[in-house]
Amino acid sequence: LAASLAHEINNPLQTVIGCLGLAEESIAEAQTDDDVETYVTMAHEELKRAARIVSRLRDLSRPTDPGQGVPTDVNEIIEDVLKVSRKDLKNNRIRVVQQLTTNLPQPVLVEDRLKQVLLNLVLNARDAMPNGGELALITEYNDVANEVVITVDDQGTGIPQDVIDQLFDPFFSTKTEGSGLGLFVSRNIVQEQGGRIEVESTVGQGATFKVHLPV
Ligand code: ADP
């Protein structure tokens, strides 16, 4: 992680150093303002990218105290996540379908951390459906494994097998503005709570993420 982080942050920093050098030259040579503006804008964008990476990493370096966990109503967490994302989903023509099992057993969790995971999955589903579609959120109890399972299912682009293999790697992203830390951080959080995340996908049909949480 440290090596990838150094690489990810070094790239934008080198670009910024280059841009500012060019801007300096333009100013010294009293060239047109356009040049300077282009370099400064580019440097600004790259610094924003570096800042995004650092802020995502801050989430990571905030390890959870296992003592903070409380028995949690997973359906309530889903409602909270939808509250903050519903408008955004609607603007992207995404219809939300909820199949929430009532009276689920309550796994011991740190609520904010689970919210962070589910929001990540919901926003990834949104990004995968640029032309809209259906997002299903399902909760179930598996009594054999004694775990609550949360399913986040979309009708998006789907994920090719070679991408699935790298999905949870830090900094792996196919998005121009992506940090590639969402799933990496999410998997860490779920594992901290003793659970796991699974993914299945058919290209062109969508992706299904399942979060398994032991009770
Ligand atoms: P980011 O969203 O910043 O790219 P993530 O770690 O959350 O980082 O996701 C990594 C990559 O996994 C995404 O760039 C995308 O290619 C792929 N991905 C994640 N969720 C989905 C999904 N629901 N459908 C299709 N691809 C997905």
Side-chain angles (χ1 to χ4, degrees), residues 1 54-64 113 116 170-171 181 184-186 188-189 192:
L1 177 62
V54 171
S55 99
R56 294 304 291 272
L57 270 160
R58 235 189 351 222
D59 298 338
L60 250 190
S61 58
R62 204 170 6 110
T64 311
R113 304 288 270 170
Q116 191 185 343
F171 304 112
L181 287 170
F184 174 69
V185 171
S186 296
N188 273 289
I189 292 174
E192 265 174 10

Side-chain angles (χ1 to χ4, degrees), residues 60-125:
L60 250 190
S61 58
R62 204 170 6 110
T64 311
D65 173 0
Q68 289 173 343
V70 291
T72 300
D73 181 341
V74 168
N75 292 343
E76 238 171 59
I77 303 279
I78 290 181
E79 296 289 356
D80 286 349
V81 168
L82 284 177
K83 228 176 262 168
V84 296
S85 54
R86 201 179 282 281
K87 198 162 163 231
D88 185 31
L89 293 171
K90 195 167 167 234
N91 290 342
N92 286 279
R93 287 176 291 150
I94 292 168
R95 204 157 42 90
V96 179
V97 177
Q98 285 167 264
Q99 293 170 31
L100 307 183
T101 303
T102 49
N103 298 321
L104 279 176
Q106 302 197 340
V108 173
L109 299 170
V110 181
E111 293 188 9
D112 278 348
R113 304 288 270 170
L114 182 64
K115 259 183 222 169
Q116 191 185 343
V117 171
L118 295 179
L119 189 61
N120 249 320
L121 296 180
V122 165
L123 296 182
N124 274 345

Side-chain angles (χ1 to χ4, degrees), residues 10-28 31 33-47:
N10 194 43
N11 282 346
L13 289 184
Q14 290 304 331
T15 312
V16 170
I17 290 168
C19 284
L20 293 182
L22 289 168
E24 267 175 356
E25 274 176 31
S26 292
I27 291 167
Q31 285 184 3
D33 289 349
D34 275 0
D35 280 347
V36 178
E37 197 180 323
T38 309
Y39 299 137
V40 169
T41 305
M42 203 186 281
H44 192 189
E45 286 305 315
E46 289 295 304
L47 278 182

